[in-house]
Amino acid sequence: MKLKSFLLACIFISPFLSGYGQKVDESYNAKIREYTTDTRFLPTSVLDVIDHPSIPSPSKHFGEIIGAPGVMHRTSDIYQYYQLLAEKSEHLSIQQVETTEEGRPIYLVVIGNNESMDGLDTYKEYLDQLADPRKISTDQAEDIFQKAKPVYYLNGGMHSTEMGSPEMLMELAYRLITSEDRTVKQIRDNVIVLINPVSEPDGRDKLVDWYYRYTKARTEWDDGFPRSAPYWGKYVFHDNNRDGLQVSQAITKGIFSIFYEWHPTVMLDLHESVPLLYISTGTGPYNEQVDPVTIGEWQVMANHDITTLAAQGMPGAFTWAFYDGWWPGYGIWVANNHNSNGRFYETFGNAGANTYLRDLSKSRYAGDPATTREWYRPDPPTEKVYWSARNNINYMQAGVLASLTYAAQNGEQLLRNFYQKGINSIRKGKTEGPRAYVIPREQRDPAMAAYLVNQLRAQAIEVHQAENEDYVILLDQPYRNLAVTLLSEQNYPKDAKFPPYDDIAWTLSYLYGVEVDAKDSIDFDVSYLKKLENNVAYKGEVKGSGSTYYISYKAQNNVLPALYWIEQKKSGADIQVLKSEFALESDTLKSGSIMIKGISSSDSEELTKKFALDLIRSNSAPKQSDLQKVSLPRVAIYHTWFNTQDEGWSRFTFEQREIPYTSIDKDDLKAGNLNSRFDVILIPRARGEAADFIHGIDSRFGPMPYTKTADFPSHGYPDQTNDMTGGPGFVGIDQLKKFIENGGVVISIDNSTRMIAETGITRDLESYTASGLFHPGSVVTVKAKNTSSPILYGYPETFSIFKGNGPLYQVDLAKRDLMVLQYGTKPLKDEEPYTGSIMGMENPNKNLEKKADAGKQAPYVRSGMVRNEQTIIGHGGIFNLPVGKGRVVAFTFDPLHRFLNHHDAPLVWNTLINWNHLGQ
């Protein structure tokens, strides 16, 4: 009888116990099943959430499970939960690593068993030693392999509309610290797990507010309603994952600081964009400098994850057919660039917590439908799926658990790979060319040379300085491959089967306008080199004597900020631009050079230090007819409400350069009277068509306020409006045209030039379609068409700029003087003199011989790749178009691209300095 009672008790109790004697939270599990729309979307690995007696689960803390319909959490709620877990569990700690541009904290969560948590400094030291094989012997490395643990970094919430990962990571953290399941315990014992719960907190809060304010009420996915708030971070939208070379935003600085402190063996970035789970490997071509070991790890780990999900019956997991693996500037590529393993997932998100019927029938990746069975997708989804937030959580968490399990079971191999990649890099630096790079002291813009050095140091690349003050990068160092990829030209294959995922060139010497010499042999004594331990700064100097100061202008980035500084500091200062060359003692000042009167010696010394500029003092002066007075403009930067990506980069650039501006929108255009407030309006690239610029967000969704309220406290920043819908309309376009006609200047960049041309603001530009042209972001050669234009002051006749795909325009032959800059060095066909017969008269050009090329012409593509480049050569890169009393300066490329192409930015600064005499 007692045995029977015992057996009955076991039968009664067993559903509430895990296989390890822990109590399972059956209500939590029931909710997981309820919110999952199909049993095939429910892997066993995400069930059996523990009902812990002292550590609160998400449902106990929030009142609902993770992935519940209609529930999204703000960063303060997320961080509060992790802080509670840290208080309740010895297996978890939390620390702040960065502060965002809007003042929100970025936290790092660390998870491990007691031994790991007690010895974190020791484990960090192990990985620091493996990161630089020069620090340890082979025997010491072998000893570390036996003692160390892999560190696995999980990055959540980078792209703010991809809202699932900050939710999932809370449930995962709870699981990792509470479950005694064999697999989970193996992870906890053998891996140190790092979690960045919300890497973009500013955007997270804006999108949670957006969800509760607007999209939670939407019942159809494809109803045209905007799924995102207009802003994520203060400056950067989706490009927050394109900042890995610049390291300019807090999100990137946070990721980098975590990497350098911990040297994670694997980093996994959690994204949401494709059905149902993509595990990154990429179609190639892969970045030329990525170690083959890393490429092998991508394949092995992706296939392991897919196999693990397949074993749980989950359809829709795939690899290969998305992304390429070329651009090194993604946030998570800090790992691939530094001998670790950087990976990412793309699950299928709904930009919130609603459940929608999603149509996959038109989705294609690498040319194949998303619903077909392929070698890289063994179990495809159906053409339509009824998709919930919990489904997304299940897929993401199952994938992460699979990957963590791989790390737990293969930790020693991952550590050996990490160490070996450093060995490989050092060996290549000793045996392969180039052996070193030299950045000469003498530069066109010495401040940019110092900036390049500091950017290399931000990437943990070692830089030395020679006795002659040249900077030297010796390549027998652990991050040799990264140094080579940053300082060499990119050779993207023209025959690549699939289009690149992003820009394909990033040679920093070109983008910064800095001379860098590659050395295939070391022809100098390295013992005299001194390793830099701190960032460097160019200290300008004042030479000569006299009351007049000159800046020899070579398109230095800091000249315009310096002029604004002078204007603010010395209201009576006289600033003039030299319109022609001027011999000044031993110096020859080119057109565009600056003459300054009315500042003191102390002012000049402060200027040289603050702006890293050299000044020449003299009592000589050019003729007044060779001078043009500078009247610095009042600048506005225009933004739409449907696309703020590039406008944000423009604002960031202006603020970094300390150039004053006012941000304006459609309401400012419609209000008119623009000349009373501004002299120049910059219109950054805004994507879309001219109609999008005119009409903006569909008015049928209005009014749509973006204002700060008690319920939505993150909205209204960095700009606000009572209604985002509607655009400036034809009234606003007319007011913009009047602004120009009355003497104002509009600078249109890249795609925004389409609006200028197609709305009739100017009728001089005609759209040009270059047949077969494919021009992904590359560094290319351009040539001055109008060598006397102030827009080109400081530049040589031929130089390079960065250009991606974008609309092209042309002007009639009779108006070619409106073209300031052309692509390539050869003229258009209709500009070449006709030497054939002319019926009825003798051709005066009959005996005209074509001028022999003066030396070898620079190739059009300097770095990257362009297909059918002959179709763009000779066409306009910049146009200077008169409209009434004013001007439109129309760019067909973006000189302010992602705070990267600093060499191109002075084309904009020249336009601002000379805004009121662009017609000379």
Side-chain angles (χ1 to χ4, degrees), residues 833-898:
Y834 176 69
T835 58
S837 299
I838 301 177
M839 297 178 70
M841 68 171 286
E842 184 175 352
N843 187 347
N845 298 323
K846 178 181 178 181
N847 298 317
L848 185 68
E849 295 181 3
K850 289 187 177 180
K851 292 182 180 179
D853 291 340
K856 186 179 179 181
Q857 290 190 343
Y860 178 63
V861 178
R862 304 268 186 108
S863 185
M865 181 277 297
V866 176
R867 292 188 191 134
N868 295 308
E869 62 189 58
Q870 71 280 1
T871 62
I872 191 176
I873 290 174
H875 283 280
I878 305 175
F879 299 90
N880 183 358
L881 308 163
V883 178
K885 298 178 182 178
R887 294 268 162 174
V888 171
V889 178
F891 288 78
T892 59
F893 60 95
D894 186 353
L896 304 177
H897 179 63
R898 293 175 173 170

Side-chain angles (χ1 to χ4, degrees), residues 152-343:
Y152 201 119
Y153 171 97
L154 298 168
N155 194 72
M158 175 176 279
H159 284 160
S160 301
T161 50
E162 300 164 13
M163 301 179 75
S165 60
E167 303 289 330
M168 183 280 291
L169 289 168
M170 289 190 285
E171 184 176 290
L172 175 71
Y174 176 77
R175 183 186 302 277
L176 291 179
I177 65 175
T178 60
S179 178
E180 294 298 324
D181 172 84
R182 183 180 63 83
T183 299
V184 174
K185 190 173 185 301
Q186 188 179 47
I187 294 169
R188 191 168 60 240
D189 289 345
N190 297 332
V191 181
I192 297 171
V193 179
L194 307 181
I195 296 176
N196 185 339
V198 190
S199 55
E200 175 51 286
D202 295 342
R204 173 69 183 186
D205 284 350
K206 290 185 182 75
L207 264 295
V208 173
D209 281 357
W210 187 266
Y211 175 69
Y212 285 121
R213 192 171 196 168
Y214 293 117
T215 56
K216 184 176 180 179
R218 313 306 298 185
T219 58
E220 302 292 331
W221 174 256
D222 295 314
D223 62 359
F225 191 88
R227 293 286 161 181
S228 177
Y231 301 99
W232 292 357
K234 180 180 179 181
Y235 302 106
V236 180
F237 199 76
H238 189 274
D239 270 358
N240 62 10
N241 197 24
R242 305 296 187 274
D243 189 44
L245 303 185
Q246 310 91 306
V247 199
S248 68
Q249 306 299 305
I251 178 177
T252 318
K253 293 174 183 176
I255 292 171
F256 272 52
S257 67
I258 293 167
F259 182 88
Y260 292 143
E261 179 181 356
W262 291 87
H263 297 287
T265 323
V266 184
M267 299 182 76
L268 179 62
D269 201 7
L270 301 172
H271 288 270
E272 302 167 31
S273 67
V274 301
L276 296 178
L277 169 60
Y278 170 72
I279 301 169
S280 65
T281 58
T283 60
Y286 292 143
N287 184 292
E288 297 168 297
Q289 300 302 327
V290 173
D291 193 293
V293 175
T294 297
I295 295 173
E297 288 176 325
W298 291 343
Q299 319 304 321
V300 170
M301 295 188 75
N303 286 319
H304 171 271
D305 295 354
I306 285 179
T307 302
T308 304
L309 268 61
Q312 298 179 79
M314 301 178 72
F318 72 106
T319 185
W320 184 74
F322 181 79
Y323 159 82
D324 52 5
W326 181 265
W327 165 255
Y330 307 107
I332 209 68
W333 266 64
V334 65
N336 296 320
N337 292 334
H338 295 88
N339 300 330
S340 294
N341 178 353
R343 317 171 63 224

Side-chain angles (χ1 to χ4, degrees), residues 466-692:
E467 288 184 308
N468 67 354
E469 299 187 12
D470 288 353
Y471 297 108
V472 180
I473 300 95
L474 300 174
L475 291 175
D476 55 343
Q477 59 173 293
Y479 305 139
R480 173 263 179 200
N481 291 353
L482 177 57
V484 172
T485 201
L486 294 178
L487 296 174
S488 65
E489 296 172 349
Q490 283 69 59
N491 299 294
Y492 192 88
K494 277 194 172 183
D495 59 354
K497 186 175 180 181
F498 304 106
Y501 194 68
D502 208 272
D503 294 337
I504 59 173
W506 51 85
T507 310
L508 295 188
S509 56
Y510 287 142
L511 296 182
Y512 294 176
V514 176
E515 180 186 342
V516 178
D517 300 325
K519 298 286 187 180
D520 287 330
S521 62
I522 304 297
D523 55 0
F524 46 85
D525 189 346
V526 298
S527 65
Y528 289 99
L529 299 179
K530 183 179 179 181
K531 183 182 174 183
L532 295 177
E533 301 296 342
N534 298 292
N535 281 349
V536 299
Y538 178 75
K539 296 179 180 179
E541 59 183 25
V542 182
K543 71 175 185 178
S545 60
S547 60
T548 302
Y549 295 84
Y550 293 91
I551 298 174
S552 179
Y553 190 61
K554 300 173 184 176
Q556 302 97 315
N557 265 288
N558 286 344
V559 170
L560 176 59
L563 301 186
Y564 273 109
W565 178 82
I566 292 170
E567 183 182 67
Q568 183 180 28
K569 189 177 183 66
K570 292 285 186 179
S571 59
D574 179 32
I575 304 172
Q576 309 248 10
V577 171
L578 277 66
K579 295 191 291 183
S580 57
E581 192 173 280
F582 175 60
L584 183 67
E585 285 91 35
S586 61
D587 298 287
T588 300
L589 304 181
K590 301 290 186 181
S591 301
S593 294
I594 306 294
M595 185 181 80
I596 307 166
K597 293 184 177 182
I599 63 172
S600 66
S601 295
S602 60
D603 293 333
S604 68
E605 292 290 342
E606 186 177 356
L607 184 150
T608 59
K609 301 301 182 288
K610 181 177 177 62
F611 297 101
L613 293 169
D614 293 323
L615 290 177
I616 305 169
R617 295 183 70 165
S618 176
N619 286 320
S620 300
K623 296 181 296 183
Q624 189 58 46
S625 60
D626 291 334
L627 295 170
Q628 180 70 52
K629 185 174 178 59
V630 172
S631 175
L632 293 173
R634 302 163 297 166
V635 181
I637 299 179
Y638 181 82
H639 75 84
T640 71
W641 286 101
F642 65 84
N643 186 283
T644 62
Q645 176 92 285
D646 298 286
E647 171 270 339
W649 281 119
S650 295
R651 284 189 290 110
F652 180 77
T653 302
F654 271 61
E655 291 182 23
Q656 291 298 301
R657 296 288 176 204
E658 299 183 21
I659 301 171
Y661 73 93
T662 302
S663 182
I664 64 172
D665 71 350
K666 60 186 178 66
D667 295 329
D668 294 281
L669 295 193
K670 288 190 287 187
N673 201 25
L674 295 167
N675 298 87
S676 67
R677 300 173 61 196
F678 311 114
D679 302 306
V680 178
I681 298 176
L682 174 73
I683 307 180
R685 178 170 52 191
R687 324 254 176 196
E689 306 293 331
D692 296 309

Side-chain angles (χ1 to χ4, degrees), residues 365-476:
Y365 304 100
D368 299 324
T371 56
T372 58
R373 186 176 185 180
E374 309 291 343
W375 66 266
Y376 56 84
R377 184 175 45 240
D379 189 3
T382 54
E383 290 192 354
K384 291 189 177 184
V385 294
Y386 190 54
W387 197 251
S388 68
R390 184 64 218 189
N391 294 349
N392 186 35
I393 299 296
N394 292 346
Y395 269 75
M396 196 182 303
Q397 188 170 180
V400 169
L401 287 168
S403 194
L404 289 173
T405 301
Y406 178 88
Q409 296 173 349
N410 297 275
E412 182 179 335
Q413 185 62 57
L414 289 171
L415 292 169
R416 287 182 180 276
N417 290 350
F418 176 57
Y419 173 76
Q420 185 61 46
K421 285 181 271 189
I423 292 284
N424 295 347
S425 187
I426 294 168
R427 184 184 66 245
K428 291 178 75 173
K430 291 179 177 180
T431 61
E432 299 182 14
R435 299 284 301 282
Y437 290 101
V438 176
I439 304 172
R441 178 183 182 277
E442 297 297 324
Q443 296 281 345
R444 176 188 63 84
D445 188 347
M448 287 310 303
Y451 178 77
L452 172 57
V453 169
N454 296 339
Q455 288 300 99
L456 294 175
R457 295 191 70 256
Q459 299 287 348
I461 293 169
E462 295 174 357
V463 183
H464 292 75
Q465 192 164 27
E467 288 184 308
N468 67 354
E469 299 187 12
D470 288 353
Y471 297 108
V472 180
I473 300 95
L474 300 174
L475 291 175
D476 55 343

